[in-house]
Amino acid sequence: VPRARAARARHPFSPRAQTGRVSDDAFPAIPPDASVLVIGASGRTGREVVRECLSRGIPVFAGTRDGAFDVAASLGEDVVAASVVPWTTPRVVPVRVDVTMPETIAGAFSLDHPERVLDEFSAFQKLKPTLVVFAATAPARGDPDAVDRRGLAAVARACVENKVPRLVVISGAGVTSKNRDSPAYKFLNAFGGRMDAKARGEAETVDSFKESRRRFEKNESPNEALISGCPSYTIVRPSGLLDKERRGVTSLAMNRGDVAAGFLSRGDLATCALACGFDARCAFASFEVYERGTAVPASTLSVAEILSDPKAARVASILTGQAFRENALFKSLFDASGAEQKKRDASTREATRFERTGFASWDDAFAGIERDAFVP
């Protein structure tokens, strides 16, 4: 591609060329001028997205509320070397992004780093994000409406206004209105209306991209429309996030319609967020992702099924009566015919009816992605 060759010619010491690329799982091609803004970089998921960017040699702007991001403290000493282009420029640039303060959002899209060490890096120092990953969420005692709804909507509008090619939103499984009666929805919503805020944030994000989607639908070559400045979104809905080693795309399953949820490592989520952000097929799409074999219906998602801590999950299971209902003695006394178990099994089969799994690569995983329905 002539454009790609020209870009490399301008960057003989390309930041990405300094440490190499991770080649597992046939990751989508990364544009030579790519850079990622991670909003919520200091959170557990945000940190993993920053780590993933570094492992693939992608310059990353770490957006935090106070504008500070210490690579060694956040990711470990072993990552420090990968966070700096040899001799010169930091590959991780801390940026203040408090989504409850609109002026800090605007500032993140007008980045200007005037330092100059070598001319080869001058363009890198003035990069603007080509991909934004929204990994922020309100803390337990915070204001979900300010962060998960209004904050996300403000970021979405900024992406459209600044023609950022893609916004990836890390939302959550079970957030749509069809799942309002699930125990997990009710439990999480008790914390300041968290699930309601996430659902509205998703809806307002989609609405912000409506005009861009309209142009996209009219273009005879949709992929070319994306390349030529048609901003798009992707909404990823994980659940039951675990702080454990990533297993790779071959161990994952994907679904659509917010009908299923399952467990997933934060590392795998971070890889998925970046991979879909650089794949044109994921534009204007929403999907669920979880480890294969862990799916449960989102409509009956329990509190225990969303907690990553095994001890906390066990306590929740006991307090909510789930452990008692799953006890063999209870089943023998109150469900001797197995009717309730059959009902649960049928619900799981229905929830996984559109599940896709058995992926050999990310290219394989995104081959079956369906875009969200468009209402002009």
Side-chain angles (χ1 to χ4, degrees):
V1 180
R3 188 180 340 184
R5 285 198 294 270
R8 288 191 180 93
R10 289 195 299 272
H11 306 288
F13 297 99
S14 168
R16 190 156 49 255
Q18 299 299 325
T19 59
R21 285 269 309 280
V22 175
S23 59
D24 61 305
D25 298 341
F27 201 80
I30 301 174
D33 61 345
S35 62
V36 179
L37 168 62
V38 181
I39 297 177
S42 59
R44 286 186 291 173
T45 298
R47 290 198 300 265
E48 290 304 315
V49 178
V50 174
R51 187 193 305 277
E52 185 68 17
C53 288
L54 291 177
S55 75
R56 299 184 184 277
I58 307 171
V60 55
F61 300 103
T64 64
R65 283 180 294 174
D66 61 3
F69 187 90
D70 186 308
V71 175
S74 299
L75 305 179
E77 291 286 349
D78 58 321
V79 184
V80 173
S83 70
V84 179
V85 177
W87 317 301
T88 55
T89 310
R91 197 189 299 277
V92 177
V93 178
V95 179
R96 187 185 181 207
V97 184
D98 183 338
V99 298
T100 66
M101 301 177 67
E103 64 274 16
T104 68
I105 297 174
F109 291 91
S110 58
L111 299 170
D112 188 0
H113 307 288
E115 298 84 358
R116 296 287 182 272
V117 181
L118 293 176
D119 290 341
E120 289 88 345
F121 292 99
S122 61
F124 168 45
Q125 293 167 343
K126 293 179 71 68
L127 282 176
K128 291 184 179 181
T130 59
L131 168 64
V132 175
V133 178
F134 188 93
T137 191
R141 296 184 179 181
D143 183 352
D145 191 70
V147 177
D148 297 82
R149 182 182 75 83
R150 285 177 283 145
L152 172 55
V155 169
R157 291 192 297 270
C159 286
V160 173
E161 291 168 3
N162 290 275
K163 296 184 178 180
V164 175
R166 183 71 58 81
L167 166 65
V168 173
V169 179
I170 297 178
S171 183
V175 303
T176 54
S177 59
K178 69 176 73 174
N179 299 310
R180 289 183 65 88
D181 291 331
S182 76
Y185 193 111
K186 292 178 179 178
F187 173 76
L188 291 174
N189 216 42
F191 295 90
R194 181 175 302 274
M195 297 296 271
D196 287 346
K198 283 185 176 293
R200 291 169 184 160
E202 282 193 14
E204 291 183 28
T205 294
V206 172
D207 190 62
S208 295
F209 284 87
K210 183 172 286 188
E211 182 56 38
S212 182
R213 179 70 184 271
R214 185 177 291 109
R215 295 199 308 272
F216 171 83
E217 294 293 338
K218 289 182 178 179
N219 199 296
E220 294 181 1
S221 177
N223 285 352
E224 189 61 36
L226 293 171
I227 295 170
S228 61
C230 192
S232 59
Y233 68 83
T234 304
I235 297 174
V236 183
R237 299 188 184 115
S239 181
L241 293 175
L242 305 172
D243 295 312
K244 68 174 189 176
E245 291 294 319
R246 66 193 68 196
R247 298 184 60 191
V249 68
T250 57
S251 70
L252 304 182
M254 292 184 179
N255 213 322
R256 61 182 175 85
D258 198 21
V259 294
F263 288 104
L264 180 69
S265 77
R266 293 183 191 276
D268 282 321
L269 172 58
T271 308
C272 180
L274 275 191
C276 71
F278 289 116
D279 196 304
R281 294 168 296 184
C282 297
F284 305 112
S286 304
F287 62 89
E288 294 77 61
V289 59
Y290 44 82
E291 285 187 10
R292 184 176 56 211
T294 67
V296 294
S299 60
T300 58
L301 190 63
S302 70
V303 177
E305 288 165 337
I306 62 172
L307 297 176
S308 57
D309 186 314
K311 292 182 180 179
R314 181 61 179 169
V315 171
S317 180
I318 293 171
L319 292 177
T320 59
Q322 181 180 351
F324 180 67
R325 291 190 297 273
E326 294 176 348
N327 182 274
L329 178 60
F330 174 87
K331 291 180 179 179
S332 66
L333 293 174
F334 299 98
D335 189 28
S337 66
E340 285 301 314
Q341 184 61 50
K342 290 177 182 177
K343 184 178 178 180
R344 286 194 290 271
D345 291 343
S347 296
T348 300
R349 284 195 299 273
E350 177 62 23
T352 57
R353 186 156 58 101
F354 297 108
E355 179 182 278
R356 297 182 303 107
T357 189
F359 311 127
S361 65
W362 287 108
D363 180 71
D364 190 18
F366 297 143
I369 286 287
E370 293 186 21
R371 294 192 170 95
D372 296 340
F374 178 58
V375 180

PDB file of all heavy atoms in Angstrom, residues 83-112:
ATOM      1  N   SER A  83       8.441   0.432  27.495  1.00  0.00           N
ATOM      2  CA  SER A  83       7.636   1.655  27.507  1.00  0.00           C
ATOM      3  C   SER A  83       8.402   2.860  26.981  1.00  0.00           C
ATOM      4  O   SER A  83       7.853   3.956  26.929  1.00  0.00           O
ATOM      5  CB  SER A  83       7.140   1.949  28.922  1.00  0.00           C
ATOM      6  OG  SER A  83       8.216   2.341  29.767  1.00  0.00           O
ATOM      7  N   VAL A  84       9.656   2.665  26.590  1.00  0.00           N
ATOM      8  CA  VAL A  84      10.470   3.769  26.091  1.00  0.00           C
ATOM      9  C   VAL A  84      11.144   3.362  24.796  1.00  0.00           C
ATOM     10  O   VAL A  84      11.755   2.309  24.709  1.00  0.00           O
ATOM     11  CB  VAL A  84      11.549   4.170  27.125  1.00  0.00           C
ATOM     12  CG1 VAL A  84      12.412   5.305  26.580  1.00  0.00           C
ATOM     13  CG2 VAL A  84      10.903   4.576  28.433  1.00  0.00           C
ATOM     14  N   VAL A  85      10.992   4.208  23.783  1.00  0.00           N
ATOM     15  CA  VAL A  85      11.722   3.994  22.552  1.00  0.00           C
ATOM     16  C   VAL A  85      13.197   4.257  22.845  1.00  0.00           C
ATOM     17  O   VAL A  85      13.515   5.290  23.432  1.00  0.00           O
ATOM     18  CB  VAL A  85      11.228   4.956  21.446  1.00  0.00           C
ATOM     19  CG1 VAL A  85      12.056   4.775  20.188  1.00  0.00           C
ATOM     20  CG2 VAL A  85       9.754   4.704  21.161  1.00  0.00           C
ATOM     21  N   PRO A  86      14.097   3.347  22.490  1.00  0.00           N
ATOM     22  CA  PRO A  86      15.505   3.523  22.852  1.00  0.00           C
ATOM     23  C   PRO A  86      16.039   4.913  22.548  1.00  0.00           C
ATOM     24  O   PRO A  86      15.775   5.465  21.482  1.00  0.00           O
ATOM     25  CB  PRO A  86      16.191   2.455  21.993  1.00  0.00           C
ATOM     26  CG  PRO A  86      15.157   1.391  21.860  1.00  0.00           C
ATOM     27  CD  PRO A  86      13.855   2.132  21.746  1.00  0.00           C
ATOM     28  N   TRP A  87      16.774   5.445  23.503  1.00  0.00           N
ATOM     29  CA  TRP A  87      17.482   6.719  23.471  1.00  0.00           C
ATOM     30  C   TRP A  87      16.590   7.937  23.673  1.00  0.00           C
ATOM     31  O   TRP A  87      17.089   8.990  24.008  1.00  0.00           O
ATOM     32  CB  TRP A  87      18.248   6.930  22.140  1.00  0.00           C
ATOM     33  CG  TRP A  87      18.966   5.725  21.669  1.00  0.00           C
ATOM     34  CD1 TRP A  87      19.939   5.039  22.326  1.00  0.00           C
ATOM     35  CD2 TRP A  87      18.759   5.056  20.434  1.00  0.00           C
ATOM     36  NE1 TRP A  87      20.351   3.970  21.577  1.00  0.00           N
ATOM     37  CE2 TRP A  87      19.646   3.956  20.399  1.00  0.00           C
ATOM     38  CE3 TRP A  87      17.926   5.276  19.336  1.00  0.00           C
ATOM     39  CZ2 TRP A  87      19.718   3.077  19.333  1.00  0.00           C
ATOM     40  CZ3 TRP A  87      17.992   4.409  18.279  1.00  0.00           C
ATOM     41  CH2 TRP A  87      18.881   3.326  18.278  1.00  0.00           C
ATOM     42  N   THR A  88      15.307   7.854  23.416  1.00  0.00           N
ATOM     43  CA  THR A  88      14.587   9.109  23.265  1.00  0.00           C
ATOM     44  C   THR A  88      13.232   9.182  23.928  1.00  0.00           C
ATOM     45  O   THR A  88      13.101   9.634  25.046  1.00  0.00           O
ATOM     46  CB  THR A  88      14.399   9.423  21.772  1.00  0.00           C
ATOM     47  OG1 THR A  88      13.759   8.311  21.166  1.00  0.00           O
ATOM     48  CG2 THR A  88      15.710   9.682  21.089  1.00  0.00           C
ATOM     49  N   THR A  89      12.220   8.740  23.217  1.00  0.00           N
ATOM     50  CA  THR A  89      10.852   9.149  23.500  1.00  0.00           C
ATOM     51  C   THR A  89      10.063   8.108  24.301  1.00  0.00           C
ATOM     52  O   THR A  89      10.118   6.933  23.996  1.00  0.00           O
ATOM     53  CB  THR A  89      10.108   9.399  22.172  1.00  0.00           C
ATOM     54  OG1 THR A  89      10.904  10.241  21.372  1.00  0.00           O
ATOM     55  CG2 THR A  89       8.756  10.028  22.408  1.00  0.00           C
ATOM     56  N   PRO A  90       9.307   8.525  25.306  1.00  0.00           N
ATOM     57  CA  PRO A  90       8.470   7.568  26.035  1.00  0.00           C
ATOM     58  C   PRO A  90       7.349   7.042  25.143  1.00  0.00           C
ATOM     59  O   PRO A  90       6.705   7.791  24.424  1.00  0.00           O
ATOM     60  CB  PRO A  90       7.900   8.398  27.194  1.00  0.00           C
ATOM     61  CG  PRO A  90       7.965   9.806  26.716  1.00  0.00           C
ATOM     62  CD  PRO A  90       9.184   9.892  25.839  1.00  0.00           C
ATOM     63  N   ARG A  91       7.136   5.736  25.187  1.00  0.00           N
ATOM     64  CA  ARG A  91       6.055   5.137  24.408  1.00  0.00           C
ATOM     65  C   ARG A  91       4.725   5.283  25.141  1.00  0.00           C
ATOM     66  O   ARG A  91       3.665   5.166  24.559  1.00  0.00           O
ATOM     67  CB  ARG A  91       6.366   3.662  24.155  1.00  0.00           C
ATOM     68  CG  ARG A  91       5.568   3.024  23.044  1.00  0.00           C
ATOM     69  CD  ARG A  91       5.779   1.535  23.016  1.00  0.00           C
ATOM     70  NE  ARG A  91       7.152   1.163  22.783  1.00  0.00           N
ATOM     71  CZ  ARG A  91       7.719   1.090  21.583  1.00  0.00           C
ATOM     72  NH1 ARG A  91       7.000   1.384  20.521  1.00  0.00           N
ATOM     73  NH2 ARG A  91       8.971   0.721  21.443  1.00  0.00           N
ATOM     74  N   VAL A  92       4.777   5.512  26.448  1.00  0.00           N
ATOM     75  CA  VAL A  92       3.577   5.764  27.244  1.00  0.00           C
ATOM     76  C   VAL A  92       3.580   7.231  27.666  1.00  0.00           C
ATOM     77  O   VAL A  92       4.504   7.684  28.333  1.00  0.00           O
ATOM     78  CB  VAL A  92       3.526   4.871  28.494  1.00  0.00           C
ATOM     79  CG1 VAL A  92       2.290   5.223  29.324  1.00  0.00           C
ATOM     80  CG2 VAL A  92       3.483   3.406  28.109  1.00  0.00           C
ATOM     81  N   VAL A  93       2.553   7.948  27.267  1.00  0.00           N
ATOM     82  CA  VAL A  93       2.439   9.368  27.614  1.00  0.00           C
ATOM     83  C   VAL A  93       1.217   9.543  28.526  1.00  0.00           C
ATOM     84  O   VAL A  93       0.085   9.335  28.083  1.00  0.00           O
ATOM     85  CB  VAL A  93       2.277  10.246  26.354  1.00  0.00           C
ATOM     86  CG1 VAL A  93       2.102  11.708  26.748  1.00  0.00           C
ATOM     87  CG2 VAL A  93       3.475  10.078  25.433  1.00  0.00           C
ATOM     88  N   PRO A  94       1.407   9.888  29.788  1.00  0.00           N
ATOM     89  CA  PRO A  94       0.267  10.128  30.682  1.00  0.00           C
ATOM     90  C   PRO A  94      -0.525  11.360  30.231  1.00  0.00           C
ATOM     91  O   PRO A  94       0.053  12.369  29.827  1.00  0.00           O
ATOM     92  CB  PRO A  94       0.925  10.373  32.048  1.00  0.00           C
ATOM     93  CG  PRO A  94       2.304   9.801  31.921  1.00  0.00           C
ATOM     94  CD  PRO A  94       2.691  10.019  30.499  1.00  0.00           C
ATOM     95  N   VAL A  95      -1.839  11.249  30.290  1.00  0.00           N
ATOM     96  CA  VAL A  95      -2.716  12.337  29.878  1.00  0.00           C
ATOM     97  C   VAL A  95      -3.836  12.460  30.908  1.00  0.00           C
ATOM     98  O   VAL A  95      -4.379  11.444  31.361  1.00  0.00           O
ATOM     99  CB  VAL A  95      -3.341  12.055  28.485  1.00  0.00           C
ATOM    100  CG1 VAL A  95      -4.261  13.196  28.081  1.00  0.00           C
ATOM    101  CG2 VAL A  95      -2.265  11.852  27.446  1.00  0.00           C
ATOM    102  N   ARG A  96      -4.173  13.665  31.270  1.00  0.00           N
ATOM    103  CA  ARG A  96      -5.281  13.844  32.203  1.00  0.00           C
ATOM    104  C   ARG A  96      -6.601  13.754  31.448  1.00  0.00           C
ATOM    105  O   ARG A  96      -6.893  14.571  30.571  1.00  0.00           O
ATOM    106  CB  ARG A  96      -5.186  15.184  32.930  1.00  0.00           C
ATOM    107  CG  ARG A  96      -6.248  15.292  34.034  1.00  0.00           C
ATOM    108  CD  ARG A  96      -6.272  16.641  34.686  1.00  0.00           C
ATOM    109  NE  ARG A  96      -7.292  16.672  35.730  1.00  0.00           N
ATOM    110  CZ  ARG A  96      -7.918  17.766  36.130  1.00  0.00           C
ATOM    111  NH1 ARG A  96      -7.606  18.936  35.595  1.00  0.00           N
ATOM    112  NH2 ARG A  96      -8.841  17.707  37.072  1.00  0.00           N
ATOM    113  N   VAL A  97      -7.402  12.749  31.798  1.00  0.00           N
ATOM    114  CA  VAL A  97      -8.736  12.608  31.231  1.00  0.00           C
ATOM    115  C   VAL A  97      -9.694  12.250  32.365  1.00  0.00           C
ATOM    116  O   VAL A  97      -9.750  11.088  32.792  1.00  0.00           O
ATOM    117  CB  VAL A  97      -8.811  11.526  30.134  1.00  0.00           C
ATOM    118  CG1 VAL A  97     -10.209  11.514  29.522  1.00  0.00           C
ATOM    119  CG2 VAL A  97      -7.765  11.755  29.066  1.00  0.00           C
ATOM    120  N   ASP A  98     -10.410  13.231  32.841  1.00  0.00           N
ATOM    121  CA  ASP A  98     -11.472  13.009  33.822  1.00  0.00           C
ATOM    122  C   ASP A  98     -12.776  13.188  33.062  1.00  0.00           C
ATOM    123  O   ASP A  98     -13.139  14.308  32.683  1.00  0.00           O
ATOM    124  CB  ASP A  98     -11.358  14.027  34.958  1.00  0.00           C
ATOM    125  CG  ASP A  98     -12.395  13.798  36.056  1.00  0.00           C
ATOM    126  OD1 ASP A  98     -13.433  13.153  35.774  1.00  0.00           O
ATOM    127  OD2 ASP A  98     -12.178  14.276  37.182  1.00  0.00           O
ATOM    128  N   VAL A  99     -13.472  12.086  32.806  1.00  0.00           N
ATOM    129  CA  VAL A  99     -14.646  12.157  31.923  1.00  0.00           C
ATOM    130  C   VAL A  99     -15.782  12.967  32.522  1.00  0.00           C
ATOM    131  O   VAL A  99     -16.751  13.290  31.819  1.00  0.00           O
ATOM    132  CB  VAL A  99     -15.147  10.747  31.545  1.00  0.00           C
ATOM    133  CG1 VAL A  99     -14.084   9.999  30.772  1.00  0.00           C
ATOM    134  CG2 VAL A  99     -15.593   9.955  32.769  1.00  0.00           C
ATOM    135  N   THR A 100     -15.677  13.308  33.801  1.00  0.00           N
ATOM    136  CA  THR A 100     -16.697  14.176  34.398  1.00  0.00           C
ATOM    137  C   THR A 100     -16.360  15.640  34.179  1.00  0.00           C
ATOM    138  O   THR A 100     -17.129  16.518  34.562  1.00  0.00           O
ATOM    139  CB  THR A 100     -16.836  13.905  35.910  1.00  0.00           C
ATOM    140  OG1 THR A 100     -15.624  14.283  36.574  1.00  0.00           O
ATOM    141  CG2 THR A 100     -17.125  12.436  36.172  1.00  0.00           C
ATOM    142  N   MET A 101     -15.195  15.916  33.551  1.00  0.00           N
ATOM    143  CA  MET A 101     -14.768  17.281  33.251  1.00  0.00           C
ATOM    144  C   MET A 101     -14.517  17.390  31.753  1.00  0.00           C
ATOM    145  O   MET A 101     -13.459  16.969  31.252  1.00  0.00           O
ATOM    146  CB  MET A 101     -13.499  17.629  34.038  1.00  0.00           C
ATOM    147  CG  MET A 101     -13.675  17.515  35.547  1.00  0.00           C
ATOM    148  SD  MET A 101     -12.134  17.837  36.455  1.00  0.00           S
ATOM    149  CE  MET A 101     -11.913  19.585  36.099  1.00  0.00           C
ATOM    150  N   PRO A 102     -15.477  17.917  30.993  1.00  0.00           N
ATOM    151  CA  PRO A 102     -15.391  17.958  29.534  1.00  0.00           C
ATOM    152  C   PRO A 102     -14.107  18.577  28.988  1.00  0.00           C
ATOM    153  O   PRO A 102     -13.605  18.150  27.950  1.00  0.00           O
ATOM    154  CB  PRO A 102     -16.618  18.785  29.135  1.00  0.00           C
ATOM    155  CG  PRO A 102     -17.581  18.598  30.264  1.00  0.00           C
ATOM    156  CD  PRO A 102     -16.739  18.485  31.491  1.00  0.00           C
ATOM    157  N   GLU A 103     -13.565  19.593  29.690  1.00  0.00           N
ATOM    158  CA  GLU A 103     -12.367  20.247  29.168  1.00  0.00           C
ATOM    159  C   GLU A 103     -11.174  19.300  29.109  1.00  0.00           C
ATOM    160  O   GLU A 103     -10.298  19.433  28.256  1.00  0.00           O
ATOM    161  CB  GLU A 103     -12.015  21.479  29.998  1.00  0.00           C
ATOM    162  CG  GLU A 103     -11.648  21.214  31.450  1.00  0.00           C
ATOM    163  CD  GLU A 103     -12.842  21.146  32.394  1.00  0.00           C
ATOM    164  OE1 GLU A 103     -13.978  21.010  31.892  1.00  0.00           O
ATOM    165  OE2 GLU A 103     -12.626  21.237  33.613  1.00  0.00           O
ATOM    166  N   THR A 104     -11.118  18.315  30.018  1.00  0.00           N
ATOM    167  CA  THR A 104      -9.998  17.367  29.975  1.00  0.00           C
ATOM    168  C   THR A 104     -10.171  16.377  28.831  1.00  0.00           C
ATOM    169  O   THR A 104      -9.184  15.862  28.300  1.00  0.00           O
ATOM    170  CB  THR A 104      -9.867  16.601  31.304  1.00  0.00           C
ATOM    171  OG1 THR A 104     -10.985  15.726  31.476  1.00  0.00           O
ATOM    172  CG2 THR A 104      -9.777  17.562  32.475  1.00  0.00           C
ATOM    173  N   ILE A 105     -11.406  16.102  28.440  1.00  0.00           N
ATOM    174  CA  ILE A 105     -11.650  15.222  27.298  1.00  0.00           C
ATOM    175  C   ILE A 105     -11.184  15.914  26.027  1.00  0.00           C
ATOM    176  O   ILE A 105     -10.483  15.316  25.200  1.00  0.00           O
ATOM    177  CB  ILE A 105     -13.152  14.870  27.194  1.00  0.00           C
ATOM    178  CG1 ILE A 105     -13.596  14.091  28.440  1.00  0.00           C
ATOM    179  CG2 ILE A 105     -13.423  14.051  25.924  1.00  0.00           C
ATOM    180  CD1 ILE A 105     -15.079  13.821  28.487  1.00  0.00           C
ATOM    181  N   ALA A 106     -11.541  17.185  25.876  1.00  0.00           N
ATOM    182  CA  ALA A 106     -11.123  17.942  24.695  1.00  0.00           C
ATOM    183  C   ALA A 106      -9.604  17.997  24.595  1.00  0.00           C
ATOM    184  O   ALA A 106      -9.024  17.874  23.512  1.00  0.00           O
ATOM    185  CB  ALA A 106     -11.709  19.356  24.742  1.00  0.00           C
ATOM    186  N   GLY A 107      -8.940  18.163  25.740  1.00  0.00           N
ATOM    187  CA  GLY A 107      -7.486  18.251  25.743  1.00  0.00           C
ATOM    188  C   GLY A 107      -6.811  16.976  25.286  1.00  0.00           C
ATOM    189  O   GLY A 107      -5.731  17.010  24.681  1.00  0.00           O
ATOM    190  N   ALA A 108      -7.441  15.833  25.541  1.00  0.00           N
ATOM    191  CA  ALA A 108      -6.843  14.548  25.165  1.00  0.00           C
ATOM    192  C   ALA A 108      -6.813  14.358  23.662  1.00  0.00           C
ATOM    193  O   ALA A 108      -6.032  13.551  23.150  1.00  0.00           O
ATOM    194  CB  ALA A 108      -7.620  13.404  25.811  1.00  0.00           C
ATOM    195  N   PHE A 109      -7.643  15.102  22.940  1.00  0.00           N
ATOM    196  CA  PHE A 109      -7.697  14.963  21.486  1.00  0.00           C
ATOM    197  C   PHE A 109      -6.920  16.065  20.778  1.00  0.00           C
ATOM    198  O   PHE A 109      -6.947  16.158  19.555  1.00  0.00           O
ATOM    199  CB  PHE A 109      -9.149  14.970  21.007  1.00  0.00           C
ATOM    200  CG  PHE A 109      -9.896  13.737  21.412  1.00  0.00           C
ATOM    201  CD1 PHE A 109     -10.594  13.686  22.605  1.00  0.00           C
ATOM    202  CD2 PHE A 109      -9.889  12.615  20.600  1.00  0.00           C
ATOM    203  CE1 PHE A 109     -11.276  12.548  22.990  1.00  0.00           C
ATOM    204  CE2 PHE A 109     -10.569  11.473  20.977  1.00  0.00           C
ATOM    205  CZ  PHE A 109     -11.262  11.427  22.177  1.00  0.00           C
ATOM    206  N   SER A 110      -6.213  16.884  21.544  1.00  0.00           N
ATOM    207  CA  SER A 110      -5.387  17.914  20.926  1.00  0.00           C
ATOM    208  C   SER A 110      -3.992  17.853  21.520  1.00  0.00           C
ATOM    209  O   SER A 110      -3.438  18.830  21.982  1.00  0.00           O
ATOM    210  CB  SER A 110      -5.991  19.303  21.170  1.00  0.00           C
ATOM    211  OG  SER A 110      -6.126  19.554  22.556  1.00  0.00           O
ATOM    212  N   LEU A 111      -3.459  16.646  21.549  1.00  0.00           N
ATOM    213  CA  LEU A 111      -2.165  16.411  22.176  1.00  0.00           C
ATOM    214  C   LEU A 111      -1.041  17.066  21.381  1.00  0.00           C
ATOM    215  O   LEU A 111      -1.004  17.008  20.158  1.00  0.00           O
ATOM    216  CB  LEU A 111      -1.911  14.901  22.276  1.00  0.00           C
ATOM    217  CG  LEU A 111      -2.944  14.149  23.121  1.00  0.00           C
ATOM    218  CD1 LEU A 111      -2.755  12.657  22.953  1.00  0.00           C
ATOM    219  CD2 LEU A 111      -2.829  14.537  24.575  1.00  0.00           C
ATOM    220  N   ASP A 112      -0.117  17.672  22.099  1.00  0.00           N
ATOM    221  CA  ASP A 112       1.030  18.299  21.448  1.00  0.00           C
ATOM    222  C   ASP A 112       2.231  18.156  22.380  1.00  0.00           C
ATOM    223  O   ASP A 112       2.252  18.726  23.468  1.00  0.00           O
ATOM    224  CB  ASP A 112       0.738  19.780  21.187  1.00  0.00           C
ATOM    225  CG  ASP A 112       1.821  20.435  20.334  1.00  0.00           C
ATOM    226  OD1 ASP A 112       2.774  19.724  19.958  1.00  0.00           O
ATOM    227  OD2 ASP A 112       1.702  21.633  20.062  1.00  0.00           O
TER     228      ASP A 112
END
